[in-house]
Amino acid sequence: MRVFVAGATGAVGRRLVPLLVAAGHEVTGATRTGEGAERLRAQGASAVRVDVFDAARVHRAVADAAPDAVVHQLTALANGDRAENGRIRREGTRHLVDAAKRAGVRRIVAQSISWAYAPGDAPAGESTPLDLEAEPPRAGMVDSLRALEEAAAEIETHVVLRYGTFYGPGTWYARGGPLDAALRGEQAAGDPARDPAAALVGLPVAGDAVGSFVHVEDAARAAVAALDWPTGTVNIVDDEPAPAHAWLPAFAAAVGAPPPAPAADGGREGWERGADNTLARRRLGWRPLHPTWRTGFTAL
């Protein structure tokens, strides 16, 4: 296929592009910087500099690439800017989908997340509704995801990947990353005014909140596979949803950081439930290289 990758130099994109090229696809990667364009060309892709908030530029870039498929991996995660991330989901996705429709693109793969589900006691499957009754500030995040997913659904074949928390090189959950630093007391954890990334990582306390992880390499491999998947929403998470009191000490040990403090109350919010990967694994044949964070963390 001819594939247009938006967010081609992000944590997933930088692993995705070489996989697409190796699979024989003709790849055009979109990036905001000259350095990113050089990286893409070195990986064997064509490169185009695009600001996703510039609708006219997005339309030209997609039209010139004439892709068979668009892969949407755009975020503002590197800067830890929740407001910009929400804007990308709403406005950036809108511009990208409109450009794809105008160019006659009939397939899109889009990045979403797996912790926006409504509250429950068990890991959420894809039929679980989004948490549309959430209170602010969570409500803003859920609403931006709904806008992203509804826009993607305007493309004839649309696959929405609801990823678990990314870990591995280039993410917050990596050796030397923001969580590592927070565990060492090197950041103003939880103070977004002083450290925006800390607001997204959260305070490093070992409580009962359950989450699901996915290694960034497995996230990229899922995006490649999704080019052949039918329309739908798919959880891309590893096999072991886990409470923070299980995974956080393991992460600290893996990166050589001090062990985390236990949570004062040990409680969990209803939406902190993790996600189920049965659809991806059993019906679509996705096989993560790191089936659990327990072994994945040891490779950080």
Side-chain angles (χ1 to χ4, degrees), residues 2 4 8 14 17 54 93 101 118 234 239 260 286 295:
R2 294 188 302 276
F4 184 92
R14 71 186 64 174
V17 168
D54 183 341
T93 303
K101 290 163 65 177
V234 186
D239 297 348
W286 176 68
T295 54

Side-chain angles (χ1 to χ4, degrees), residues 97-194:
V97 167
D98 287 348
K101 290 163 65 177
R102 181 175 294 182
V105 177
R106 300 175 66 180
R107 175 176 288 272
I108 189 169
V109 175
Q111 179 187 135
S112 187
I113 60 175
S114 66
W115 58 94
Y117 286 113
D121 294 327
E126 291 83 354
S127 62
T128 303
L130 294 178
D131 191 6
L132 301 180
E133 302 300 319
E135 297 291 331
R138 177 170 166 80
M141 178 270 286
V142 176
D143 286 346
S144 71
L145 287 171
R146 178 170 61 173
L148 180 153
E149 296 187 3
E150 288 179 351
E154 296 174 18
I155 303 298
E156 180 179 345
T157 303
H158 49 277
V159 182
V160 173
L161 303 178
R162 289 181 176 163
Y163 286 124
T165 298
F166 293 145
Y167 73 97
T171 73
W172 301 322
Y173 293 71
R175 187 180 300 276
L179 181 57
D180 184 354
L183 287 166
R184 299 174 191 277
E186 297 173 2
Q187 292 183 335
D191 183 353
R194 296 173 60 190

Side-chain angles (χ1 to χ4, degrees), residues 67-123:
D68 301 301
V70 166
V71 179
H72 177 356
Q73 296 285 354
L74 290 162
T75 70
L77 299 182
N79 298 326
D81 190 329
R82 288 184 295 182
E84 184 180 4
N85 211 41
R87 187 183 174 203
I88 285 173
R89 287 169 176 159
R90 294 184 179 91
E91 297 180 31
T93 303
R94 181 74 270 157
H95 295 163
L96 192 60
V97 167
D98 287 348
K101 290 163 65 177
R102 181 175 294 182
V105 177
R106 300 175 66 180
R107 175 176 288 272
I108 189 169
V109 175
Q111 179 187 135
S112 187
I113 60 175
S114 66
W115 58 94
Y117 286 113
D121 294 327

Side-chain angles (χ1 to χ4, degrees), residues 210-290:
V210 175
S212 287
F213 285 94
V214 64
H215 192 282
V216 70
E217 186 72 20
D218 287 322
R221 293 175 64 249
V224 177
L227 291 172
D228 293 318
W229 289 351
T231 286
T233 300
V234 186
N235 289 335
I236 300 299
V237 299
D238 73 14
D239 297 348
E240 190 177 0
H245 64 71
W247 69 259
L248 190 52
F251 176 89
V255 299
D265 58 9
R268 122 183 133 80
E269 298 290 341
W271 57 267
E272 294 172 323
R273 57 189 296 188
D276 181 270
N277 69 4
T278 299
L279 173 60
R281 261 199 174 274
R282 296 186 183 176
R283 292 181 54 188
L284 297 173
W286 176 68
R287 295 291 183 269
L289 297 173
H290 303 279

